[in-house]
Coordinates of all heavy atoms in Angstrom, one line a residue:
M1 N 53.7 7.4 27.8 CA 54.3 7.8 26.5 C 53.2 7.4 25.5 O 53.0 8.1 24.5 CB 55.6 7.1 26.3 CG 56.2 7.4 25.0 SD 56.6 9.1 24.9 CE 57.2 9.2 23.2
Q2 N 52.6 6.2 25.6 CA 51.6 5.7 24.6 C 50.4 6.6 24.6 O 49.9 6.9 23.6 CB 51.2 4.3 24.9 CG 50.4 3.6 23.9 CD 50.0 2.2 24.2 OE1 50.5 1.7 25.3 NE2 49.3 1.6 23.4
E3 N 50.0 7.1 25.8 CA 48.8 8.0 25.8 C 49.1 9.3 25.1 O 48.2 9.8 24.4 CB 48.5 8.3 27.3 CG 48.0 7.0 28.1 CD 49.1 6.2 28.6 OE1 50.3 6.7 28.5 OE2 48.8 5.1 29.1
I4 N 50.3 9.8 25.2 CA 50.6 11.0 24.6 C 50.6 10.9 23.0 O 50.1 11.7 22.3 CB 52.0 11.6 25.0 CG1 51.9 12.0 26.5 CG2 52.5 12.7 24.2 CD1 53.2 12.3 27.1
L5 N 51.1 9.7 22.5 CA 51.1 9.4 21.1 C 49.7 9.3 20.6 O 49.4 9.8 19.5 CB 51.9 8.1 20.9 CG 52.2 7.8 19.4 CD1 53.1 8.9 18.8 CD2 52.9 6.5 19.3
V6 N 48.8 8.6 21.3 CA 47.4 8.5 21.0 C 46.7 9.9 21.0 O 46.0 10.2 20.0 CB 46.6 7.6 21.9 CG1 45.1 7.7 21.7 CG2 47.1 6.1 21.7
L7 N 47.0 10.7 21.9 CA 46.5 12.1 22.0 C 46.9 12.9 20.8 O 46.1 13.6 20.1 CB 46.9 12.7 23.3 CG 46.4 14.2 23.4 CD1 44.9 14.2 23.6 CD2 47.1 14.9 24.7
I8 N 48.2 12.8 20.4 CA 48.7 13.5 19.3 C 48.0 13.1 18.0 O 47.6 13.8 17.1 CB 50.3 13.4 19.2 CG1 50.9 14.2 20.3 CG2 50.8 13.9 17.8 CD1 52.4 13.9 20.4
G9 N 47.9 11.8 17.9 CA 47.2 11.1 16.7 C 45.7 11.6 16.6 O 45.3 12.0 15.5
V10 N 45.0 11.6 17.7 CA 43.6 12.0 17.6 C 43.5 13.5 17.4 O 42.6 13.9 16.4 CB 42.9 11.7 19.0 CG1 41.5 12.3 19.1 CG2 42.8 10.2 19.2
V11 N 44.2 14.3 18.0 CA 44.2 15.8 17.7 C 44.6 16.1 16.3 O 43.9 16.9 15.6 CB 45.1 16.6 18.7 CG1 45.1 18.0 18.4 CG2 44.4 16.4 20.1
S12 N 45.6 15.5 15.8 CA 46.0 15.8 14.4 C 45.0 15.2 13.4 O 44.8 15.9 12.3 CB 47.4 15.2 14.2 OG 47.4 13.8 14.3
D13 N 44.4 14.1 13.7 CA 43.3 13.6 12.8 C 42.1 14.6 12.7 O 41.6 14.8 11.7 CB 42.9 12.2 13.2 CG 43.9 11.2 12.9 OD1 44.8 11.5 12.0 OD2 43.9 10.1 13.4
L14 N 41.8 15.0 13.9 CA 40.6 16.0 14.0 C 41.0 17.3 13.3 O 40.1 17.8 12.6 CB 40.3 16.2 15.5 CG 39.6 15.1 16.2 CD1 39.4 15.4 17.7 CD2 38.3 14.8 15.6
I15 N 42.1 17.7 13.4 CA 42.5 19.0 12.7 C 42.6 18.7 11.2 O 42.2 19.6 10.4 CB 43.9 19.5 13.2 CG1 43.7 20.1 14.6 CG2 44.5 20.5 12.2 CD1 45.0 20.5 15.2
Y16 N 43.0 17.5 10.7 CA 42.9 17.2 9.3 C 41.5 17.2 8.8 O 41.3 17.7 7.7 CB 43.6 15.8 9.1 CG 43.4 15.3 7.7 CD1 44.0 16.0 6.6 CD2 42.5 14.2 7.4 CE1 43.8 15.5 5.3 CE2 42.4 13.8 6.1 CZ 43.0 14.4 5.1 OH 42.8 14.0 3.7
F17 N 40.5 16.7 9.5 CA 39.2 16.7 9.1 C 38.3 18.0 9.4 O 37.2 18.0 9.2 CB 38.4 15.5 9.8 CG 38.8 14.2 9.1 CD1 39.5 13.3 9.8 CD2 38.4 13.9 7.7 CE1 39.9 12.1 9.2 CE2 38.7 12.7 7.2 CZ 39.5 11.8 7.9
F18 N 39.0 19.0 9.9 CA 38.4 20.3 10.2 C 38.6 21.2 8.9 O 39.6 21.7 8.7 CB 39.1 20.9 11.4 CG 38.4 22.2 11.9 CD1 37.1 22.1 12.4 CD2 39.0 23.4 11.8 CE1 36.5 23.2 12.9 CE2 38.4 24.6 12.2 CZ 37.1 24.5 12.7
F19 N 37.6 21.2 8.1 CA 37.6 21.9 6.9 C 37.2 23.3 6.8 O 37.1 23.9 5.8 CB 36.7 21.1 5.8 CG 37.2 19.7 5.5 CD1 36.3 18.7 5.9 CD2 38.4 19.4 5.1 CE1 36.7 17.4 5.6 CE2 38.9 18.1 4.8 CZ 38.0 17.1 5.1
S20 N 37.0 23.9 8.0 CA 36.6 25.3 8.0 C 37.8 26.3 7.9 O 37.6 27.5 7.5 CB 35.9 25.7 9.4 OG 34.7 24.9 9.5
T21 N 39.0 25.8 8.1 CA 40.2 26.7 7.8 C 41.0 26.0 6.7 O 41.0 24.8 6.5 CB 41.0 26.8 9.1 OG1 41.5 25.5 9.5 CG2 40.2 27.4 10.2
A22 N 41.8 26.9 6.1 CA 42.7 26.4 5.1 C 43.9 25.7 5.8 O 44.4 26.1 6.8 CB 43.2 27.6 4.3
H23 N 44.3 24.7 5.1 CA 45.5 23.9 5.7 C 46.8 24.5 5.2 O 47.5 24.0 4.4 CB 45.4 22.4 5.3 CG 44.2 21.7 5.9 ND1 44.0 20.4 5.6 CD2 43.3 22.1 6.7 CE1 42.9 20.0 6.3 NE2 42.5 21.0 7.0
R24 N 47.1 25.6 5.8 CA 48.4 26.4 5.6 C 49.1 26.6 6.9 O 48.4 26.7 7.9 CB 48.1 27.7 4.9 CG 47.5 27.6 3.6 CD 47.4 29.0 2.9 NE 46.5 29.0 1.8 CZ 45.4 29.8 1.7 NH1 45.2 30.7 2.6 NH2 44.6 29.6 0.7
G25 N 50.4 26.7 6.8 CA 51.1 27.0 8.1 C 51.1 25.9 9.0 O 51.3 24.7 8.6
A26 N 51.0 26.2 10.3 CA 51.0 25.2 11.4 C 49.9 24.2 11.2 O 50.0 23.0 11.5 CB 50.9 25.8 12.7
V27 N 48.7 24.6 10.8 CA 47.5 23.7 10.6 C 47.8 22.7 9.5 O 47.5 21.5 9.6 CB 46.3 24.5 10.3 CG1 45.1 23.6 10.0 CG2 45.9 25.4 11.4
G28 N 48.5 23.1 8.5 CA 48.9 22.2 7.4 C 49.9 21.2 7.8 O 49.8 20.0 7.5
K29 N 50.8 21.6 8.7 CA 51.8 20.6 9.1 C 51.2 19.6 10.1 O 51.5 18.4 10.1 CB 53.0 21.4 9.8 CG 53.8 22.2 8.8 CD 55.1 22.7 9.5 CE 55.8 23.7 8.5 NZ 56.1 23.2 7.2
I30 N 50.3 20.1 11.0 CA 49.6 19.2 11.9 C 48.7 18.3 11.1 O 48.6 17.0 11.5 CB 48.9 20.0 12.9 CG1 49.8 20.8 13.8 CG2 48.0 19.1 13.8 CD1 49.2 21.7 14.8
S31 N 48.0 18.7 10.1 CA 47.1 17.8 9.3 C 48.0 16.8 8.5 O 47.5 15.7 8.3 CB 46.3 18.6 8.4 OG 47.0 19.3 7.4
T32 N 49.2 17.2 8.2 CA 50.1 16.2 7.5 C 50.4 15.1 8.5 O 50.5 13.9 8.1 CB 51.4 16.9 7.0 OG1 51.0 17.9 6.1 CG2 52.2 15.9 6.3
V33 N 50.7 15.4 9.7 CA 50.9 14.4 10.8 C 49.6 13.5 10.9 O 49.7 12.3 11.1 CB 51.3 15.1 12.1 CG1 51.3 14.1 13.3 CG2 52.6 15.8 12.0
G34 N 48.4 14.2 10.9 CA 47.2 13.4 10.9 C 47.0 12.4 9.8 O 46.6 11.3 10.0
I35 N 47.5 12.8 8.6 CA 47.4 12.0 7.4 C 48.3 10.7 7.6 O 48.0 9.5 7.4 CB 47.8 12.7 6.2 CG1 46.7 13.7 5.8 CG2 48.0 11.7 5.0 CD1 47.1 14.6 4.7
T36 N 49.5 11.0 8.2 CA 50.4 9.9 8.5 C 49.8 9.0 9.5 O 50.0 7.7 9.3 CB 51.8 10.5 9.0 OG1 52.3 11.5 8.0 CG2 52.8 9.4 9.2
F37 N 49.2 9.5 10.6 CA 48.6 8.6 11.5 C 47.5 7.7 10.9 O 47.4 6.5 11.2 CB 48.0 9.4 12.7 CG 49.0 9.6 13.8 CD1 49.7 10.8 13.9 CD2 49.3 8.6 14.8 CE1 50.6 11.0 14.9 CE2 50.1 8.9 15.8 CZ 50.8 10.0 15.9
L38 N 46.7 8.3 10.1 CA 45.7 7.6 9.4 C 46.2 6.5 8.5 O 45.7 5.4 8.4 CB 44.8 8.6 8.5 CG 43.8 9.5 9.3 CD1 43.2 10.5 8.4 CD2 42.7 8.6 10.0
M39 N 47.3 6.8 7.7 CA 47.9 5.9 6.8 C 48.5 4.7 7.6 O 48.3 3.5 7.2 CB 48.9 6.5 5.9 CG 48.4 7.4 4.9 SD 49.6 8.3 3.8 CE 51.1 7.7 4.2
V40 N 49.1 4.9 8.7 CA 49.7 3.9 9.5 C 48.6 3.0 10.1 O 48.6 1.8 10.1 CB 50.6 4.5 10.6 CG1 51.0 3.4 11.6 CG2 51.8 5.1 10.0
G41 N 47.5 3.7 10.6 CA 46.4 2.9 11.2 C 45.7 2.0 10.1 O 45.4 0.8 10.4
F42 N 45.4 2.6 9.0 CA 44.7 1.8 8.0 C 45.6 0.7 7.4 O 45.2 -0.4 7.1 CB 44.2 2.7 6.9 CG 43.0 3.5 7.2 CD1 42.9 4.8 6.9 CD2 41.9 2.9 7.8 CE1 41.8 5.6 7.2 CE2 40.8 3.7 8.2 CZ 40.8 5.0 7.9
G43 N 46.9 1.0 7.3 CA 47.8 0.0 6.8 C 48.0 -1.1 7.8 O 48.0 -2.4 7.4
A44 N 48.0 -0.9 9.1 CA 48.1 -1.9 10.1 C 46.8 -2.8 10.1 O 46.8 -4.0 10.2 CB 48.3 -1.3 11.5
S45 N 45.7 -2.1 9.9 CA 44.4 -2.8 9.9 C 44.3 -3.8 8.7 O 43.9 -4.9 8.8 CB 43.3 -1.8 9.9 OG 42.0 -2.5 9.8
F46 N 44.7 -3.3 7.6 CA 44.7 -4.1 6.3 C 45.7 -5.3 6.4 O 45.4 -6.4 6.0 CB 45.1 -3.2 5.1 CG 45.2 -4.0 3.8 CD1 44.0 -4.5 3.2 CD2 46.3 -4.3 3.2 CE1 44.0 -5.2 2.1 CE2 46.4 -5.0 2.1 CZ 45.3 -5.4 1.5
G47 N 46.9 -5.0 7.0 CA 47.9 -6.0 7.2 C 47.4 -7.2 8.1 O 47.6 -8.3 7.9
Y48 N 46.7 -6.7 9.2 CA 46.1 -7.7 10.1 C 45.1 -8.6 9.4 O 45.0 -9.8 9.6 CB 45.5 -7.0 11.3 CG 44.8 -8.0 12.3 CD1 45.6 -8.8 13.1 CD2 43.5 -8.1 12.3 CE1 45.0 -9.7 14.0 CE2 42.9 -9.0 13.3 CZ 43.7 -9.8 14.0 OH 43.1 -10.6 14.9
T49 N 44.2 -7.9 8.5 CA 43.2 -8.6 7.8 C 43.8 -9.7 6.8 O 43.4 -10.8 6.8 CB 42.3 -7.7 7.0 OG1 41.7 -6.8 8.0 CG2 41.3 -8.4 6.2
V50 N 44.9 -9.2 6.1 CA 45.6 -10.2 5.2 C 46.2 -11.3 6.0 O 46.1 -12.5 5.6 CB 46.6 -9.4 4.4 CG1 47.4 -10.4 3.6 CG2 45.9 -8.5 3.4
M51 N 46.8 -11.0 7.1 CA 47.4 -12.1 7.9 C 46.3 -13.1 8.4 O 46.6 -14.3 8.4 CB 48.2 -11.5 9.1 CG 48.9 -12.4 9.9 SD 49.8 -11.7 11.2 CE 48.5 -11.1 12.3
A52 N 45.2 -12.6 8.8 CA 44.2 -13.5 9.3 C 43.7 -14.4 8.2 O 43.4 -15.6 8.4 CB 43.0 -12.7 9.8
R53 N 43.5 -13.9 7.0 CA 43.0 -14.6 5.8 C 44.0 -15.7 5.4 O 43.6 -16.8 5.0 CB 42.7 -13.7 4.6 CG 41.6 -12.7 4.9 CD 40.3 -13.4 5.2 NE 39.3 -12.5 5.7 CZ 38.2 -12.2 5.1 NH1 37.9 -12.8 3.9 NH2 37.3 -11.4 5.6
V54 N 45.3 -15.3 5.4 CA 46.3 -16.3 5.1 C 46.4 -17.4 6.1 O 46.6 -18.6 5.8 CB 47.7 -15.6 4.9 CG1 48.8 -16.6 4.8 CG2 47.8 -14.7 3.7
T55 N 46.2 -17.1 7.4 CA 46.1 -18.1 8.4 C 44.9 -19.0 8.2 O 45.1 -20.3 8.3 CB 46.0 -17.4 9.8 OG1 47.1 -16.6 10.0 CG2 46.0 -18.5 10.9
L56 N 43.8 -18.6 7.8 CA 42.7 -19.4 7.5 C 43.0 -20.3 6.3 O 42.6 -21.5 6.2 CB 41.4 -18.6 7.2 CG 40.8 -17.9 8.4 CD1 39.7 -16.9 8.0 CD2 40.3 -18.9 9.4
L57 N 43.7 -19.7 5.3 CA 44.0 -20.5 4.1 C 44.9 -21.6 4.4 O 44.8 -22.8 4.0 CB 44.6 -19.6 3.0 CG 45.1 -20.3 1.7 CD1 43.9 -20.8 0.9 CD2 45.9 -19.3 0.9
I58 N 45.9 -21.4 5.3 CA 46.9 -22.4 5.7 C 46.2 -23.5 6.4 O 46.4 -24.8 6.2 CB 48.0 -21.8 6.6 CG1 48.9 -21.0 5.7 CG2 48.8 -22.9 7.3 CD1 49.9 -20.2 6.5
G59 N 45.2 -23.2 7.3 CA 44.4 -24.1 8.0 C 43.6 -25.1 7.1 O 43.5 -26.2 7.3
R60 N 43.0 -24.5 6.0 CA 42.3 -25.3 5.0 C 43.2 -26.2 4.3 O 42.8 -27.3 4.0 CB 41.6 -24.4 4.0 CG 40.4 -23.6 4.6 CD 39.2 -24.5 4.9 NE 39.2 -25.0 6.3 CZ 38.6 -26.1 6.7 NH1 37.8 -26.7 5.9 NH2 38.7 -26.4 8.0
F61 N 44.4 -25.7 3.9 CA 45.3 -26.6 3.2 C 45.8 -27.8 4.1 O 45.9 -28.9 3.6 CB 46.5 -25.8 2.7 CG 46.3 -25.1 1.4 CD1 46.7 -23.8 1.2 CD2 45.8 -25.8 0.3 CE1 46.5 -23.2 0.0 CE2 45.5 -25.2 -0.9 CZ 46.0 -23.9 -1.1
Q62 N 46.0 -27.5 5.4 CA 46.3 -28.5 6.3 C 45.2 -29.6 6.4 O 45.5 -30.8 6.4 CB 46.6 -28.0 7.6 CG 48.0 -27.4 7.8 CD 48.3 -26.8 9.1 OE1 47.4 -26.5 9.9 NE2 49.5 -26.6 9.5
F63 N 44.0 -29.1 6.5 CA 42.9 -30.0 6.5 C 42.8 -30.9 5.2 O 42.7 -32.1 5.3 CB 41.6 -29.3 6.7 CG 40.4 -30.1 6.5 CD1 40.0 -31.1 7.4 CD2 39.6 -30.0 5.3 CE1 38.9 -31.9 7.3 CE2 38.5 -30.9 5.1 CZ 38.2 -31.8 6.1
L64 N 43.0 -30.2 4.1 CA 42.9 -31.0 2.8 C 44.0 -32.0 2.7 O 43.8 -33.1 2.3 CB 42.9 -30.0 1.6 CG 41.6 -29.2 1.4 CD1 41.9 -28.2 0.3 CD2 40.5 -30.1 1.0
L65 N 45.2 -31.6 3.0 CA 46.4 -32.4 2.8 C 46.5 -33.5 3.8 O 46.9 -34.6 3.5 CB 47.7 -31.6 2.7 CG 47.8 -30.7 1.4 CD1 49.1 -29.9 1.6 CD2 47.7 -31.5 0.2
E66 N 46.2 -33.2 5.0 CA 46.4 -34.2 6.1 C 45.1 -35.1 6.4 O 45.2 -36.3 6.4 CB 46.9 -33.4 7.4 CG 48.2 -32.9 7.3 CD 48.6 -32.0 8.6 OE1 47.7 -32.0 9.5 OE2 49.7 -31.4 8.6
D67 N 44.1 -34.4 6.7 CA 42.9 -35.2 7.1 C 42.1 -35.8 5.9 O 41.7 -36.9 6.0 CB 41.9 -34.2 7.9 CG 42.7 -33.8 9.2 OD1 43.5 -34.4 9.7 OD2 42.3 -32.7 9.7
W68 N 41.9 -35.0 4.9 CA 41.0 -35.4 3.9 C 41.7 -36.3 2.8 O 41.2 -37.4 2.4 CB 40.4 -34.2 3.1 CG 39.3 -34.5 2.3 CD1 38.1 -35.0 2.7 CD2 39.1 -34.2 0.9 NE1 37.2 -35.1 1.7 CE2 37.8 -34.6 0.6 CE3 39.9 -33.6 0.0 CZ2 37.3 -34.4 -0.7 CZ3 39.4 -33.4 -1.3 CH2 38.2 -33.8 -1.6
L69 N 43.0 -35.9 2.4 CA 43.7 -36.7 1.4 C 44.7 -37.6 2.1 O 45.1 -38.6 1.4 CB 44.4 -35.8 0.4 CG 43.5 -34.9 -0.5 CD1 44.4 -34.0 -1.3 CD2 42.7 -35.9 -1.4
G70 N 45.2 -37.4 3.2 CA 46.1 -38.2 3.9 C 47.6 -38.2 3.2 O 48.3 -39.2 3.4
V71 N 47.9 -37.1 2.6 CA 49.1 -37.0 1.8 C 50.3 -36.7 2.8 O 51.3 -37.4 2.7 CB 49.0 -36.0 0.7 CG1 50.4 -35.8 0.0 CG2 48.0 -36.3 -0.2
V72 N 50.2 -35.8 3.6 CA 51.2 -35.3 4.5 C 50.9 -35.7 6.0 O 49.8 -35.5 6.4 CB 51.4 -33.8 4.4 CG1 52.5 -33.3 5.3 CG2 51.7 -33.4 3.0
R73 N 51.8 -36.3 6.6 CA 51.6 -36.6 8.0 C 52.8 -36.3 8.8 O 53.9 -36.5 8.6 CB 51.3 -38.1 8.2 CG 49.9 -38.4 7.6 CD 49.1 -39.0 8.7 NE 47.8 -39.0 8.0 CZ 46.6 -39.3 8.7 NH1 46.7 -39.5 9.9 NH2 45.5 -39.2 8.1

C-alpha cells in the first residue's frame, strides 16, 4: 500500500512540474494532487527540523540549569 502511495506522489509531482501542457482537465486535477503531496512533504520536513532544534534547546537549558548553575536537580 505504501509503495502505491509513493508511486502516486511521484507521478503526480512529475505531472505538476511538466510545463509543456496546460494544467486543465485531468492533468490539472492530478497536478493538484501533486501540489498536495509537495505541501505535506515540505511541511513534515519543516516540522522535523523545528522539533530537532527545540530538542537541542532543551538540552542546552538542562545543561545550564543542572550542570553549570546547579539550580535544578
Side-chain angles (χ1 to χ4, degrees):
M1 181 65 188
Q2 184 178 4
E3 294 85 6
I4 294 171
L5 192 63
V6 169
L7 180 67
I8 290 170
V10 168
V11 170
S12 62
D13 288 341
L14 287 175
I15 289 174
Y16 171 68
F17 284 111
F18 188 67
F19 296 120
S20 296
T21 61
H23 291 179
R24 294 187 200 126
V27 175
K29 293 192 188 304
I30 294 172
S31 65
T32 303
V33 172
I35 292 170
T36 305
F37 271 98
L38 287 172
M39 288 179 7
V40 168
F42 286 133
S45 177
F46 179 73
Y48 178 74
T49 302
V50 170
M51 185 178 65
R53 298 298 170 113
V54 169
T55 302
L56 290 172
L57 180 67
I58 290 171
R60 289 290 91 197
F61 276 133
Q62 281 180 340
F63 168 74
L64 285 174
L65 294 176
E66 293 174 2
D67 298 335
W68 198 56
L69 295 176
V71 175
V72 180
R73 290 237 169 191

